[in-house]
Amino acid sequence: MAKNYYDPADLRKFGEITDWSEELGEKFFDYYGKVFEEGALSAREKSLIALAVSHVVKCPYCIDAYTKDGLQRGITKEEMMEAVHAGAAIESGATLVHGVQMMNKYNKLSM
């Protein structure tokens, strides 16, 4: 049986990134921790945003982590899927709006 490129066990090793660059790793984790503290947005809202972004950037580790985090925060499967759709809509809209660039280039070159 083939091994997956993304090994779910690797998520538990994330903290080890400081091993090869302690200063930058620690700064990242300090920043990361600060971002997810309660603020104008609740930790629950931030978890839902993180889940949607995880799908947009296609990070399987993040998807696993924020699905688990969302469940722990009481986020329902319907809320999760709605967030994923919101992220997908923005991503597809961003792709389609670049069609204007293509249209402009086509019009310029076909004159």
Side-chain angles (χ1 to χ4, degrees), residues 54-101:
S54 298
H55 283 78
V56 172
V57 300
K58 296 163 185 61
C59 175
Y61 302 114
C62 305
I63 292 167
D64 285 357
Y66 284 100
T67 299
K68 180 180 177 182
D69 187 70
L71 280 168
Q72 292 170 342
R73 295 182 186 282
I75 298 172
T76 67
K77 64 184 179 186
E78 293 83 7
E79 290 172 311
M80 290 183 190
M81 187 55 73
E82 193 169 322
V84 170
H85 277 284
I90 295 300
E91 184 177 31
S92 61
T95 299
L96 289 172
V97 77
H98 279 83
V100 174
Q101 178 72 21

Side-chain angles (χ1 to χ4, degrees), residues 2-77:
K3 183 178 178 181
N4 290 329
Y5 184 77
Y6 291 104
D7 184 350
D10 286 341
L11 180 57
R12 291 187 298 273
K13 299 176 186 175
F14 187 35
E16 296 174 16
I17 65 165
T18 58
D19 292 353
W20 290 13
S21 181
E22 185 175 353
E23 180 185 0
L24 293 175
E26 287 178 2
K27 285 182 182 194
F28 168 77
F29 284 117
D30 288 345
Y31 168 75
Y32 192 87
K34 192 73 174 163
V35 165
F36 284 95
E37 289 177 359
E38 293 279 337
L41 295 172
S42 70
R44 184 182 189 280
E45 291 167 323
K46 290 178 183 185
S47 181
L48 199 52
I49 292 167
L51 180 63
V53 172
S54 298
H55 283 78
V56 172
V57 300
K58 296 163 185 61
C59 175
Y61 302 114
C62 305
I63 292 167
D64 285 357
Y66 284 100
T67 299
K68 180 180 177 182
D69 187 70
L71 280 168
Q72 292 170 342
R73 295 182 186 282
I75 298 172
T76 67
K77 64 184 179 186

Side-chain angles (χ1 to χ4, degrees), residues 99-111:
V100 174
Q101 178 72 21
M102 177 270 305
M103 293 164 66
N104 291 340
K105 187 69 172 182
Y106 179 90
N107 288 336
K108 181 179 178 184
L109 292 175
S110 65
M111 295 180 119

